[in-house]
Amino acid sequence: MKEERRYLTFALGKGRLADKTMELLESVGITCEEMKDKHSRKLIFVNEELGLKFFLSKNPDVPTYVEYGAADIGVVGSDILREENKRVYEVLDLGFGKCRMCVCGPREAQVLLQHHEMIRVASKYPNTAKDYFYNKKHQTVDIIKLNGSVELGPIVKLSDVIVDIVETGSTLRENGLDVLEEICPISARMIVNRVSMQMEAERIRNMIGMLRDKIG
Ligand code: PRP
């Protein structure tokens, strides 16, 4: 009796990252027609022929789905991986979704950084901010967790600086803020569940190989 092939499930971060990922997958013959219907309210999309399932989630949840094995494979920014520190294999830098993790603020705040003052840092990435200030700069700071529109922090005097991602820099410019220090570059990564990597080694390795060749 023929053994039934197991579905491989992908978790993708909603938005531009998912669109870019589907473009890349499509270029190596991995498609999902169902996903192209932007009006669909379905949460899971299937390609029966290839034995693949796809679902979209909030970006910070992608590593969680992959760590617990609810998804075999995920695509997420390295900003999230660094912040969440989940037990998953990071297998490929996809080369898109590029931006920078930076300390930003009004220019006057530069001196506070230079003098290692006890400052307030607002961020959606408290672990990343803590690691940078405590372990790299050896500066004691007060970290305030925010969930978005972090640039407001210095403007309304909640914080002296922020730690956030900068892509085009236009949010900073429009709010009179600057990049003060650069922490690290960011890009989209493919991650794989540890058990799936053993159990579905051939299918996953083939896919990684095709993508790696494509990315160059
Ligand atoms: C991100 C980030 C910055 C902005 C940077 O926010 O937190 O605010 O994009 O991009 P830019 O350099 O091209 O202006 P996002 O749009 O995800 O919204 P949020 O702040 O509400 O999380």
Side-chain angles (χ1 to χ4, degrees), residues 124 147-151 164-171:
K124 278 188 290 190
N147 292 299
S149 304
V150 181
E151 290 82 0
D164 201 13
I165 50 172
V166 179
E167 191 183 357
T168 61
S170 57
T171 312

Side-chain angles (χ1 to χ4, degrees), residues 11 13 55 57-67 76 80 84 86 191:
F55 66 81
S57 77
K58 287 259 184 193
N59 279 299
D61 294 336
V62 168
T64 309
Y65 285 110
V66 175
E67 181 179 44
V76 68
I80 308 277
E84 302 282 335
K86 299 284 189 203
I191 56 174

Side-chain angles (χ1 to χ4, degrees), residues 19-178:
D19 294 343
K20 282 274 196 186
T21 304
M22 291 316 290
E23 249 174 59
L24 174 65
L25 291 176
E26 202 158 328
S27 73
V28 297
I30 300 173
T31 54
C32 188
E33 287 306 314
E34 276 193 343
M35 258 178 116
K36 292 183 180 161
D37 176 6
K38 295 290 174 203
H39 301 294
S40 170
R41 303 196 55 104
K42 276 177 104 168
L43 294 173
I44 305 249
F45 305 93
V46 186
N47 180 330
E48 295 288 354
E49 203 183 320
L50 297 178
L52 300 174
K53 287 186 183 175
F54 300 85
F55 66 81
L56 302 175
S57 77
K58 287 259 184 193
N59 279 299
D61 294 336
V62 168
T64 309
Y65 285 110
V66 175
E67 181 179 44
Y68 282 91
D72 302 287
I73 298 164
V75 172
V76 68
S78 53
D79 52 331
I80 308 277
L81 291 177
R82 192 183 167 121
E83 179 66 21
E84 302 282 335
N85 198 20
K86 299 284 189 203
R87 285 162 299 171
V88 295
Y89 291 132
E90 189 182 317
V91 294
L92 203 55
D93 183 341
L94 298 174
F96 52 76
K98 284 193 178 173
C99 51
R100 301 175 292 155
M101 181 69 71
C102 298
V103 181
C104 312
R107 209 160 300 151
E108 311 83 77
Q110 186 88 60
V111 68
L112 303 175
L113 294 171
Q114 279 158 0
H115 295 164
H116 285 64
E117 301 272 354
M118 170 75 193
I119 53 171
R120 284 201 195 161
V121 181
S123 187
K124 278 188 290 190
Y125 303 92
N127 296 326
T128 304
K130 191 171 172 194
D131 179 56
Y132 179 69
F133 280 101
Y134 281 71
N135 299 331
K136 193 144 182 228
K137 292 199 53 154
H138 307 292
Q139 179 172 0
T140 306
V141 296
D142 188 6
I143 291 164
I144 303 167
K145 163 89 163 72
L146 288 179
N147 292 299
S149 304
V150 181
E151 290 82 0
L152 265 176
I155 297 171
V156 301
K157 310 276 182 241
L158 172 72
S159 69
D160 299 290
V161 297
I162 61 173
V163 164
D164 201 13
I165 50 172
V166 179
E167 191 183 357
T168 61
S170 57
T171 312
L172 291 179
R173 265 193 305 279
E174 285 181 29
N175 292 290
L177 305 174
D178 287 307

